[in-house]
């Protein structure tokens, strides 16, 4: 008998008057907001403009949601297209089911489109957003808690999650793999922030570090899960995906560091903070006029100090020329 455990919500929907707010969707929305907010701060610190991250996210987020859902439906097609199942459920994203692999892949396509439209290098934008994505995943995983899904093997540990009787699940206490992944993602975000400051990561290496670190944790967390999944050589499909993506991310870090060391000096080519640069020709005219006025003022000041220097009749002799004339006389 468990002395302590984590209770699951009795429902995944919070009623706000006539508006039903689903816990899963709420966690996803909050996660996106945090990713954009934190990514914007990092982008500005790198010399970018405020708002650029949000502008590109307008492309990346929808692509990511579509990609995440497609990956889930394709890899778990039996949940929607086998006998007795309703294929329409494949569109019910609020009931859970987003594959991070598809979300990142399709989200990168959307981000590439947004970056290309702004003339921004995608690797630099990805580096700025990497820790924010990890924080977003940490928040988004709590949506699985609302839906009572993605839990692990039975356990009587004090932090076990309580799962109630339902479709395709048996009541009991299980490993809260959603919690493990949430905490792991927070650690990944902190790791990327530290490494980025310590080693001045650039050209996509901060993002690659995020990918590699996440995959390392996802592999062992995925191994603990008991929900239905496809297996290859005794391992779940997502474990194999994590291993392959981890290797690719590490290879990218090593090769990129040799080919393009350091960090991008300019992340937004059209950004110029030089005083007066944005005002164009009008600024140049104003500057020339001011210089002419200053020169005239200086000349007038010299004339006032030495009035005998003017070429006027009967004037213009200096003290030295007067003395010389007296000696001749």
């Amino acid at each position: 008998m468990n002395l302590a455990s984590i209770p699951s919500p009795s429902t995944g929907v919070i009623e706000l008057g006539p508006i039903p707010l689903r816990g899963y969707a709420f966690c996803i929305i909050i996660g996106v907001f945090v990713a954009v907010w934190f990514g914007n701060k990092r982008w500005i610190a790198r010399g970018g403009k405020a708002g650029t991250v949000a502008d590109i996210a307008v492309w990346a987020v929808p692509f990511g949601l579509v990609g995440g859902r497609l990956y889930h439906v394709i890899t778990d097609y039996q949940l929607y297209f086998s006998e007795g199942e309703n294929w329409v459920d494949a569109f019910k994203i609020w009931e859970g089911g987003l594959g991070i692999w598809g979300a990142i892949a399709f989200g990168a396509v959307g981000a590439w489109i947004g970056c290309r439209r702004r003339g921004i290098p995608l690797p630099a934008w990805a580096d700025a957003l990497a820790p924010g994505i990890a924080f977003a995943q940490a928040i988004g995983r709590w949506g699985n808690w609302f839906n009572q899904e993605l839990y692990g093997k039975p356990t009587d540990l004090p932090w076990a999650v309580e799962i109630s009787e339902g479709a395709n699940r048996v009541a009991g206490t299980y490993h809260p793999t959603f919690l493990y992944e949430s905490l792991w993602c927070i650690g990944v975000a902190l790791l990327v922030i530290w490494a980025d400051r310590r080693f001045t990561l650039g050209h996509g290496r901060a993002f690659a570090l995020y990918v590699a670190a996440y995959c390392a944790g996802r592999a062992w967390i995925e191994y603990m899960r008991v929900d239905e999944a496809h297996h290859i050589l005794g391992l779940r499909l997502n474990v194999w995906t994590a291993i392959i993506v981890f290797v690719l991310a590490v290879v990218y870090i090593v090769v990129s560091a040799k080919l393009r060391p350091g960090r991008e000096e300019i992340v937004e080519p059209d950004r110029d903070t030089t005083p007066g640069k944005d005002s164009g020709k009008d600024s140049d005219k104003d500057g020339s006029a001011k210089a002419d006025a200053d020169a005239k003022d200086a000349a007038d000041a010299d004339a006032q100090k030495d009035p005998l220097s003017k070429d006027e009749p009967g004037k213009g002799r200096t003290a030295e020329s007067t003395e010389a004339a007296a000696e001749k006389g």
Side-chain angles (χ1 to χ4, degrees), residues 96-122:
L98 285 176
I100 186 61
W101 317 112
I104 294 297
F106 274 62
V109 174
W112 176 79
I113 295 174
C115 287
R116 186 177 178 81
R117 290 168 59 90
R118 296 291 295 266
I120 293 171
L122 175 60

Side-chain angles (χ1 to χ4, degrees), residues 21-41:
L21 179 61
R22 299 185 180 276
Y24 186 86
F26 181 74
C27 291
I28 296 296
I29 293 172
I30 295 299
V32 170
F33 174 80
V34 170
V36 172
W37 169 78
F38 193 68
N40 183 65
K41 291 175 66 69

Side-chain angles (χ1 to χ4, degrees), residues 52-103:
T52 296
V53 169
D55 291 343
I56 297 175
V58 170
W59 289 90
V61 172
F63 272 75
L65 291 175
V66 172
R69 188 60 176 177
L70 279 176
Y71 181 89
H72 167 73
V73 172
I74 292 173
T75 55
D76 291 310
Y77 63 88
Q78 72 281 355
L79 300 177
Y80 308 101
F81 302 104
S82 52
E83 186 177 355
E85 302 294 343
N86 186 359
W87 63 271
V88 176
D89 292 341
F91 298 95
K92 297 179 179 179
I93 192 173
W94 56 86
E95 293 182 355
L98 285 176
I100 186 61
W101 317 112

